[in-house]
């Protein structure tokens, strides 16, 4: 078994380690608490954020479809215009007039170009809203993360305080026991001394 001194030194080292951990936790806690106190709780609607992202996706799809249609109409107009001319001599063909169809498709083309520009404006608006909500979410996440960390470190500190109290209580019990052992040794020594004296007196009285 380890000696009393060895056990005492071990207990003191143990308490020192717990105290050191407690100091480090307190330093972390103070830094985080200072940063957290500067933050303000911000309203954030995750559903709105989700809806804007969905809307942006829908707008991009719509723009893509319109762009495909625009290119198809442009190709059609080009083919109709070229179809009025001989492919070899480039002279106008008799009785070939696609003017009405060309004009109709040019109106369609203008409408598609207008639609695409309107979609571009809506897409930019959606991107700005999403960017704004992204920043708000980052701030909310930072607020929540620091709040959780403060609670976690607070619990760690409380656990260390309880451990230190337990070690101190054990030390007190240990020291009390050591004191009782020393008292018992002293008492045993006195009893032995009294018994020895009684034996000598008894021997004198009985003549033995």
């Amino acid at each position: 078994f380890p000696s009393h001194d060895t056990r005492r030194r071990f207990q003191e080292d143990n308490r020192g380690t717990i105290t050191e951990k407690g100091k480090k936790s307190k330093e972390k806690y103070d830094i985080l608490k200072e940063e957290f106190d500067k933050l303000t709780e911000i309203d954030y609607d995750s559903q709105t954020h989700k809806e804007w992202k969905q809307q942006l996706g829908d707008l991009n799809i719509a723009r893509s479809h319109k762009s495909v249609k625009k290119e198809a109409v442009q190709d059609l107009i080009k083919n109709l215009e070229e179809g009025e001319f001989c492919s070899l001599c480039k002279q106008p063909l008799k009785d070939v007039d696609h003017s009405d169809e060309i004009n109709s498709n040019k109106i369609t083309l203008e409408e598609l170009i207008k639609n695409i520009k309107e979609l571009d404006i809506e897409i930019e608006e959606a991107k700005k809203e999403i960017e704004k909500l992204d920043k708000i979410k980052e701030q909310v996440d930072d607020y929540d993360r620091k709040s959780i960390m403060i609670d976690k470190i607070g619990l760690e500190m409380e656990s260390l305080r309880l451990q230190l109290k337990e070690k101190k209580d054990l030390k007190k019990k240990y020291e009390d026991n050591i004191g009782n052992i020393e008292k018992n040794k002293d008492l045993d020594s006195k009893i032995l001394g009294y018994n020895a004296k009684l034996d000598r007196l008894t021997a004198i009285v009985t003549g033995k």
Side-chain angles (χ1 to χ4, degrees):
F1 293 97
S3 66
H4 296 321
D5 287 341
T6 302
R7 278 180 286 181
R8 186 175 66 251
R9 280 198 301 274
F10 175 74
Q11 288 172 344
E12 286 172 355
D13 290 344
N14 223 337
R15 288 198 304 275
T17 301
I18 294 170
T19 303
E20 188 61 31
K21 284 182 181 177
K23 285 180 181 177
K24 288 179 180 178
S25 294
K26 182 69 167 62
E27 287 171 5
K28 284 183 189 176
Y29 181 89
D30 290 342
I31 292 169
L32 273 173
K33 191 70 169 63
E34 186 178 353
E35 292 175 359
F36 182 76
D37 288 342
K38 291 176 184 176
L39 301 175
T40 53
E41 194 166 3
I42 302 167
D43 289 331
Y44 167 71
D45 188 345
S46 60
Q47 184 59 33
T48 300
H49 199 174
K50 182 180 177 181
E51 286 170 1
W52 272 111
K53 287 181 177 180
Q54 180 63 51
Q55 186 173 336
L56 178 60
D58 293 342
L59 288 167
N60 281 324
I61 290 170
R63 190 192 187 286
S64 178
H65 288 165
K66 295 287 184 185
S67 295
V68 170
K69 286 183 181 179
K70 185 191 81 168
E71 289 173 7
V73 172
Q74 284 174 328
D75 289 342
L76 178 58
I77 291 170
K78 182 181 177 183
N79 290 335
L80 288 169
E81 288 174 340
E82 290 176 350
E84 293 181 345
F85 296 87
C86 174
S87 60
L88 296 174
C89 64
K90 304 301 180 184
Q91 295 298 313
L93 297 172
K94 291 180 181 179
D95 301 325
V96 178
D97 185 5
H98 296 145
S99 298
D100 290 343
E101 195 175 352
I102 289 169
N103 289 333
S104 174
N105 278 287
K106 281 185 175 179
I107 291 170
T108 301
L109 180 61
E110 287 176 5
E111 188 65 26
L112 285 167
I113 291 170
K114 180 184 174 185
N115 290 157
I116 290 170
K117 285 181 179 178
E118 288 170 350
L119 285 168
D120 284 340
I121 291 169
E122 290 185 62
I123 286 169
E124 282 306 309
E125 182 187 354
K127 283 181 178 178
K128 286 178 183 176
E129 287 296 325
I130 290 169
E131 185 179 349
K132 185 167 68 178
L133 287 165
D134 283 342
K135 288 179 180 177
I136 291 172
K137 187 177 184 303
E138 283 178 13
Q139 291 174 316
V140 169
D141 288 346
D142 187 46
Y143 183 93
D144 291 343
R145 185 168 55 253
K146 282 188 169 66
S147 177
I148 291 167
M149 283 297 295
I150 285 169
D151 289 343
K152 179 177 177 289
I153 294 172
L155 288 172
E156 287 175 357
M157 288 166 61
E158 184 60 28
S159 173
L160 290 168
R161 274 195 291 269
L162 290 173
Q163 288 181 49
L164 191 60
K165 183 180 182 301
E166 184 183 3
K167 297 296 179 187
K168 285 180 178 177
D169 289 345
L170 284 172
K171 181 192 175 190
K172 188 175 183 305
K173 286 179 183 178
Y174 174 77
E175 288 174 345
D176 289 344
N177 286 335
I178 292 296
N180 290 332
I181 289 169
E182 293 301 325
K183 285 178 184 176
N184 287 337
K185 283 182 179 179
D186 187 48
L187 186 59
D188 288 343
S189 178
K190 286 180 180 178
I191 290 170
L192 288 172
Y194 291 146
N195 286 339
K197 287 181 181 178
L198 283 171
D199 288 341
R200 284 198 301 274
L201 291 172
T202 300
I204 292 169
V205 171
T206 59
K208 292 183 180 179

